[in-house]
Amino acid sequence: MKQQYGIKDIAKMLNISVSTVSRALRDAYDVNPETRKKVLELTEKLNFKPNKNAAALASGSTKNIGVVIPFITNYYFSTVISGIQEEAYKQGYNIILFVTNDDLDREKTLLRNIATTSLDGLLISISSNSDTQDHFEQLMEEGVPMVFFDRVPHHIHVSKIMQSDFDGAFMATSHLIDNGYKKIAHIAGPKELNFTQERMNGYLAALENANLPRNDDYIIFSGFSQANGYTDTVTLLSLPEKPDAIFAVNDRKAVGSIQALKANHVQVGLEFGVIGFTNDPIATVIEPNLTTVEEPAFEIGKQSCSLLIKHIKNKNHEPHDILLPGKLVIRQSVKLSQDS
Amino acid sequence: MKQQYGIKDIAKMLNISVSTVSRALRDAYDVNPETRKKVLELTEKLNFKPNKNAAALASGSTKNIGVVIPFITNYYFSTVISGIQEEAYKQGYNIILFVTNDDLDREKTLLRNIATTSLDGLLISISSNSDTQDHFEQLMEEGVPMVFFDRVPHHIHVSKIMQSDFDGAFMATSHLIDNGYKKIAHIAGPKELNFTQERMNGYLAALENANLPRNDDYIIFSGFSQANGYTDTVTLLSLPEKPDAIFAVNDRKAVGSIQALKANHVQVGLEFGVIGFTNDPIATVIEPNLTTVEEPAFEIGKQSCSLLIKHIKNKNHEPHDILLPGKLVIRQSVKLSQDS
């Protein structure tokens, strides 16, 4: 389309540097407010828009960050994206969204077609069935800056940001133990995911720490949905020796679990404890309200984005592993014992 | 980065047209599967990536669609984005996300800085306090293809896709009336939003249709949150003549309303009816489960994206207004009278 004035013309007219004009247009924090006002008034008058494609070819920078995620319609991921978006906006980047539908084939197709020349870097959370890592290693070899978050690959030397799944699961399970529950089941996610393993390990460590035996009948791997939580719980209730509490890998499964228990006339929070992991808003809607471990989802998004931008600006920035702590949120689905 | 082969080289080596290579790389549906396989094998061997910036400058097409939305952490908007994403993926477009946080200033800043040269078009849902439309008209004059969805501006001649708010609200209110409720309140959204008005008009039309009087004390405008639903309901319960039912502008407000009623020992679904609008997953978690009108959120996303691509491909494509119907979902928060 018609592009009559360039950024250089604006700079010349106002007698300031090109970089100041550029920073003013980006709303960068280190521009004199008055200067910014002048730039904005002039660009508005001239109806000037920076041509980002031309700028990208010239500078090698596109100001676009690609975000590859399994879903957006769940609370956790949409909150992470909010955090990413907030940081990206602050630093003048746009985010381009790639949704894999938690499907390895689509993940591969998307990554194969990602034109890395139109992106400065990638934030990635892998799909549940992502057993191979070739498609990531390929991009790494090309020197594409990358940060993985939440669902991360095991064996690649690259920056990763996660909540501390082990600690959170240990905390959740210990909260059940401290309040007198002894036969604690764990309804887990898909076995091959790293964070499923980490949460199970935290659960097992808490049992061991309290000298409680491990019972493999009490560990069920399945999907992440409310429906999965329901059916897993029905399975547990059909055991000859029923559990007296459940630690669910996420809040949606915990909600399904509470619904199954209520359908089977088990009094949740009195005779049976349920604890989740996420702190999804549904935790305050289900009755009894769900005791859970809060994930720092917004913070994970913010820090992932901020770390990626460091990698973009300095290609020699060393990969980091960052673990953010969770927080126990006590509500009514776990009965508190007198002495705790 | 290193870019040794171009799309023309690939085409020459395989003795096919450049456009076939391009379509094969995009996974377009009209490419012979065998040809696509050959193209993918060769591009993999050569480690070829299309340079999208160069391609964009050459063709004037970027294959990027900008999506401007108030939020992503709510069920409705994240579902709309899923629908957009699904259609965009199918047609070989990427989506770039701009989140306004429902704030007019940020909306304006974002739109002012949007480099329309790096986008083929825009999908927009406006912020609640978007009283001016200049920033949209500006982009329209530049010839940027645009489709508005859900929250749309009143007076611009441009394509708009919405659920039928009037019909849905009429349906919801009539469902209460048909089941014997007579003093029906409406807890609404912010007054200046078009769809707030439409839903209120549907509510008023249903009252009029049943010869029930309008009572302005029974209409409360506030925000969209669960907390807003709670406080609006507390206000209604303090009236000398209390209502016997509430039609809430969305499910989150309806959930807050049910919580307020329960806190005040009012039996929801028996002595007091509550109906929502959305069909958010929390509708099946709150007790009693929420009767509501389901919004076609995924479909709105899909159709908005598909319509935008028509505008992109044909600059003379006439603007359309599309209204998608909602659907009554009967659960337990409205008691069904014997004869209905």
Side-chain angles (χ1 to χ4, degrees), chain A residues 1-3 25-27 40 44 47 49-54 56-57 62 64 72-75 78-79 81-82 85-86 89 94-99 101 105-106 109-119 138-139 141-144 226 255 259 262 281-282 284-287 315, chain B residues 1-3 25-27 40 44 47 49-54 56-57 62 64 72-75 78-79 81-82 85-86 89 94-99 101 105-106 109-119 138-139 141-144 226 255 259 262 281-282 284-287 315:
Chain A
M1 305 169 207
K2 58 239 140 131
Q3 182 84 38
L25 290 170
R26 278 204 324 268
D27 260 4
L40 294 184
E44 195 147 315
N47 192 17
K49 298 274 167 100
N51 183 326
K52 285 215 179 165
N53 287 321
L57 277 179
T62 63
N64 289 330
I72 46 173
T73 51
N74 88 36
Y75 174 76
S78 63
T79 307
I81 297 172
S82 281
Q85 172 74 33
E86 202 52 41
Y89 178 76
N94 294 317
I95 70 175
I96 304 191
L97 206 57
F98 302 94
V99 181
N101 287 353
D105 284 339
R106 186 180 281 206
T109 303
L110 281 170
L111 288 176
R112 191 176 61 228
N113 290 332
I114 275 182
T116 49
T117 47
S118 58
L119 293 173
Q138 179 65 47
L139 287 167
E141 277 169 26
E142 292 176 31
V144 180
Q226 199 167 312
V255 164
Q259 290 178 327
K262 286 161 84 171
I282 51 171
T284 64
V285 173
I286 186 75
E287 291 183 21
K315 298 273 169 177
Chain B
M1 303 169 206
K2 58 240 137 128
Q3 182 83 38
L25 290 170
R26 278 203 325 266
D27 260 3
L40 295 183
E44 195 147 316
N47 192 18
K49 297 275 168 98
N51 183 326
K52 286 216 176 163
N53 287 321
L57 277 179
T62 63
N64 290 329
I72 45 173
T73 51
N74 87 36
Y75 174 76
S78 62
T79 307
I81 298 172
S82 282
Q85 172 73 34
E86 202 53 39
Y89 178 77
N94 295 316
I95 69 174
I96 304 190
L97 208 56
F98 302 94
V99 181
N101 287 355
D105 283 340
R106 186 180 281 205
T109 303
L110 280 170
L111 288 175
R112 192 176 59 229
N113 290 333
I114 274 182
T116 48
T117 47
S118 58
L119 293 174
Q138 180 65 47
L139 287 167
E141 277 170 27
E142 291 177 31
V144 180
Q226 200 167 311
V255 164
Q259 290 178 327
K262 286 160 84 170
I282 52 170
T284 64
V285 173
I286 186 75
E287 291 184 18
K315 298 272 169 179

Side-chain angles (χ1 to χ4, degrees), chain B residues 14-35:
Chain B
L14 293 173
N15 200 21
I16 56 179
S17 74
V18 168
S19 112
T20 303
V21 175
S22 161
R23 280 177 299 125
L25 290 170
R26 278 203 325 266
D27 260 3
Y29 61 91
D30 57 351
V31 179
N32 181 306
E34 233 168 282
T35 309

